[in-house]
Amino acid sequence: MRQWTQLKRTTNLSSVAISVILLIVTLALFLVRQNVLADESDLEEKVNQQRQIITQKKSLEGKLLSVKEKLQVLAAHIELSVNQREILADIFDLESENYHITKAVINEERLVEIEGEASDYQNIADFLLQLKQKDKYIDFRVKEISWDADSQSIDYKLKFTLKQ
Amino acid sequence: MKKLLGFLLPTITALMIVILVVFVYYPWVGEVFASRVKITEKKDNLTILQAKAQVLQDLDEKQVENYLLELELLVPSQPLPGYLLSTLEDDANLSGIIIKDLQYASTAVQKEKVVLGFLIEGDIEQQKYFLELLKKDAPLMEVSKVDLLKDQAEGALFTNSVLLSSPIQSIPESLSAIETPIEGLSTKDQDLLKKIRDFELLELGGEETKVQTEKPQGKADLFTL
């Protein structure tokens, strides 16, 4: 009987202790939850504020986007046009009595083809050397060279690409 | 019965544990974890939005508008054939070359560019000058293909077949998601914007016409001499 009373007492005491611990845990968890929810709500508010600012500046964003897109086109144009015009100027400058240029083609793939006439092979060699010295043409290929006995001249066809 | 009543408190405690775990702790802990994930996402989101808002707030809207207007002259949003052809005409007049076989049709408008093919006739210096003028023209014009054909009969005269393309960049119809980050005008952009002035742009407005606000007034009292 005494043992029974002892057991009952211990069990009841344990129950009280567990209840107190449960209460503390519940309270702590409640506080953590409230804190986290408050943080989330606070962040949500801040995000909404920023969204509102951005929405108000929507028109400016569109203009900025458009400016940037057009600037990209302009940048590509400046870079490309320098090379294309340089080569045109080069071709015009190289035209002389020694090597007449009869045809020059610069296509969209930045491939340059020149056809012309020269009085001798040395002149063609000089012409190629001058082009090489410009240091912006690569992949030289002499496509065709033929001697025209009637006109005492050499027809040449050259092909090269522009440096990227 | 009395013996059983002695275990009432532990039984209630055990029940309370079960109820709390199932109906309180489990949902709350789940909620806290879900909120933590949301908070991390929102923090990232907020950083992006704050940076974006800052970029937009730092920009001078009037200045961006001016940039856009100037760029519109260089890279129009839609084909402007009249403007393009008159620019070519001016260049031809200035350089002394003759433009032949130039036709503009709706087929000239291709993927984000206007493509024009024509012949130019003139001596080397005139052609070089013409090409130099093109370099500074607005709208932008790129020489995408050149066929230089020496006119044997005319001696120093060259006939040049030119394929020009003038880029078009339409205004964006819709903006991307609000969370998409944007960049302001970088140093590279600023440098490019300075180069706009190197091109021959149309005059933008000029001096604003002052509106006369003061109306002519007669005498304050008509009956006094």
Side-chain angles (χ1 to χ4, degrees):
Chain A
M1 188 65 190
R2 198 176 161 195
Q3 275 181 338
W4 173 249
T5 314
Q6 186 72 31
L7 178 69
K8 209 171 80 175
R9 202 174 155 190
T10 315
T11 316
N12 281 343
L13 274 172
S14 302
S15 297
V16 171
I18 290 169
S19 298
V20 171
I21 291 168
L22 277 178
L23 190 70
I24 292 167
V25 169
T26 310
L27 193 67
L29 194 60
F30 174 78
L31 289 174
V32 168
R33 180 177 165 269
Q34 285 302 106
N35 198 22
V36 168
L37 289 177
D39 279 357
E40 193 191 335
S41 160
D42 187 39
L43 267 173
E44 182 70 42
E45 200 180 323
K46 281 181 184 168
V47 166
N48 283 340
Q49 272 176 4
Q50 297 302 318
R51 276 172 180 269
Q52 211 173 349
I53 293 171
I54 294 167
T55 310
Q56 280 167 358
K57 300 261 179 186
K58 214 173 173 181
S59 143
L60 178 60
E61 190 187 347
K63 284 171 195 161
L64 178 69
L65 198 69
S66 195
V67 164
K68 285 201 154 263
E69 282 178 353
K70 285 178 191 287
L71 279 176
Q72 273 181 3
V73 178
L74 177 64
H77 171 84
I78 290 172
E79 199 182 328
L80 183 74
S81 61
V82 167
N83 283 333
Q84 279 180 331
R85 285 181 177 84
E86 271 180 11
I87 190 170
L88 284 169
D90 285 351
I91 291 167
F92 284 129
D93 287 342
L94 289 172
E95 162 76 13
S96 77
E97 283 184 8
N98 292 330
Y99 19 82
H100 291 299
I101 296 166
T102 53
K103 188 180 176 187
V105 179
I106 306 167
N107 72 12
E108 282 151 318
E109 283 78 45
R110 302 155 73 81
L111 189 77
V112 188
E113 285 187 50
I114 293 177
E115 287 179 25
E117 291 168 356
S119 52
D120 57 41
Y121 290 112
Q122 185 57 49
N123 284 333
I124 295 175
D126 286 348
F127 182 68
L128 282 170
L129 191 69
Q130 286 195 50
L131 278 173
K132 279 193 176 182
Q133 280 169 351
K134 300 275 183 191
D135 193 37
K136 57 176 163 288
Y137 310 113
I138 51 168
D139 192 23
F140 277 93
R141 276 176 217 170
V142 178
K143 262 178 81 182
E144 209 178 294
I145 296 184
S146 58
W147 170 259
D148 182 2
D150 294 336
S151 63
Q152 296 282 301
S153 68
I154 302 162
D155 291 335
Y156 61 85
K157 282 183 185 173
L158 309 171
K159 194 173 172 183
F160 45 93
T161 41
L162 279 170
K163 246 183 199 174
Q164 293 294 326
Chain B
M1 189 65 185
K2 201 179 174 186
K3 275 183 186 177
L4 283 173
L5 274 174
F7 286 103
L8 190 63
L9 191 61
T11 312
I12 291 170
T13 309
L15 267 173
M16 211 166 70
I17 290 173
V18 173
I19 289 168
L20 278 173
V21 168
V22 174
F23 297 104
V24 181
Y25 294 170
Y26 183 72
W28 280 10
V29 169
E31 214 175 349
V32 167
F33 277 110
S35 280
R36 286 264 168 225
V37 173
K38 277 186 195 169
I39 284 172
T40 317
E41 282 171 7
K42 281 197 170 98
K43 271 185 183 168
D44 293 344
N45 210 350
L46 183 66
T47 315
I48 295 168
L49 291 174
Q50 275 175 333
K52 188 171 179 174
Q54 194 60 47
V55 166
L56 292 172
Q57 278 176 327
D58 288 347
L59 283 171
D60 179 354
E61 186 156 8
K62 194 78 195 160
Q63 200 178 30
V64 176
E65 248 172 48
N66 285 337
Y67 288 150
L68 187 58
L69 277 174
E70 288 180 338
L71 281 165
E72 188 62 30
L73 295 172
L74 285 177
V75 188
S77 314
Q78 52 189 359
L80 303 170
Y83 184 28
L84 191 69
L85 296 178
S86 72
T87 310
L88 279 176
E89 191 184 23
D90 287 347
D91 290 346
N93 288 338
L94 278 169
S95 61
I97 60 132
I98 299 163
I99 292 183
K100 291 176 175 174
D101 293 345
L102 172 62
Q103 282 183 336
Y104 181 90
S106 56
T107 49
V109 184
Q110 295 175 7
K111 278 181 196 169
E112 297 197 326
K113 59 184 176 184
V114 177
V115 180
L116 283 177
F118 54 91
L119 297 173
I120 53 172
E121 193 183 277
D123 63 30
I124 287 178
E125 287 309 314
Q126 286 174 330
Q127 298 219 9
K128 273 168 82 173
Y129 187 43
F130 177 72
L131 293 170
E132 196 55 37
L133 290 171
L134 284 182
K135 201 172 161 181
K136 300 286 173 198
D137 275 341
L140 297 181
M141 283 185 243
E142 286 168 7
V143 181
S144 48
K145 192 179 174 198
V146 178
D147 279 302
L148 189 145
L149 302 159
K150 193 170 186 182
D151 194 333
Q152 300 290 348
E154 297 294 330
L157 282 186
F158 282 82
T159 303
N160 222 336
S161 159
V162 178
L163 194 68
L164 273 186
S165 67
S166 181
I168 304 166
Q169 180 67 52
S170 48
I171 301 277
E173 284 175 9
S174 59
L175 293 174
S176 47
I178 202 160
E179 287 85 7
T180 312
I182 53 159
E183 278 180 29
L185 295 168
S186 62
T187 322
K188 196 183 161 193
D189 292 337
Q190 298 284 359
D191 290 343
L192 273 170
L193 286 165
K194 280 178 197 159
K195 286 183 184 166
I196 295 177
R197 286 284 154 200
D198 295 344
F199 292 87
E200 299 286 334
L201 298 179
L202 278 178
E203 284 298 314
L204 288 173
E207 270 190 30
E208 283 178 20
T209 315
K210 285 178 186 167
V211 181
Q212 198 174 353
T213 49
E214 285 182 16
K215 291 174 184 169
Q217 290 176 346
K219 283 197 271 186
D221 185 353
L222 290 171
F223 303 101
T224 55
L225 290 172

